[in-house]
Amino acid sequence: MFDPLDPLLHSQLRLAVMSLLMNVEEADFNFIKEKTKSTSGNLSVQVNKLKDAEYIQVDKTFKDNYPHTTCKITDKGIDAFESYLNALRSYIKPTD
């Protein structure tokens, strides 16, 4: 009746990051931080969890001598996000 929810995506901040990345080709860390109104420390921890699960790809470079981090959702991340949304639908409109 109720599909299991991916605990990795059940966190509000991680879900917000994934939602943002579903709608852009890639995003830099500061953009995600601004849109999610999160702190650098908390966002960094949550981004690393998504990266470890291979839901997102994180690239670290330098831009004008400053560290620059960009995030991009992976195919595995897209599948996980879509599965999460489908699981949520089972809670909204149970069939059995």
Side-chain angles (χ1 to χ4, degrees):
M1 181 169 181
F2 297 109
D3 296 336
L5 295 174
D6 183 342
L8 191 62
L9 296 182
H10 207 56
S11 152
Q12 182 176 344
L13 181 52
R14 288 191 295 265
L15 185 60
V17 170
M18 292 291 286
S19 179
L20 283 171
L21 293 176
M22 284 291 290
N23 294 290
V24 295
E25 186 173 329
E26 64 179 27
D28 73 22
F29 187 85
N30 289 330
F31 172 81
I32 298 169
K33 179 181 163 191
E34 177 186 315
K35 292 295 182 185
T36 60
K37 296 184 169 86
S38 59
T39 64
S40 295
N42 191 16
L43 180 58
S44 181
V45 168
Q46 304 314 320
V47 162
N48 279 328
K49 288 182 180 182
L50 293 170
K51 177 186 164 199
D52 290 345
E54 300 177 346
Y55 286 0
I56 66 171
Q57 175 185 331
V58 177
D59 293 314
K60 296 183 181 229
T61 60
F62 282 91
K63 185 176 182 180
D64 298 326
N65 291 328
Y66 291 98
H68 184 245
T69 301
T70 56
C71 300
K72 181 178 182 179
I73 197 162
T74 64
D75 289 342
K76 184 177 179 181
I78 291 170
D79 290 343
F81 187 80
E82 290 174 348
S83 293
Y84 184 82
L85 293 181
N86 287 332
L88 268 181
R89 286 184 185 101
S90 74
Y91 289 82
I92 295 168
K93 190 175 182 181
T95 55
D96 294 324

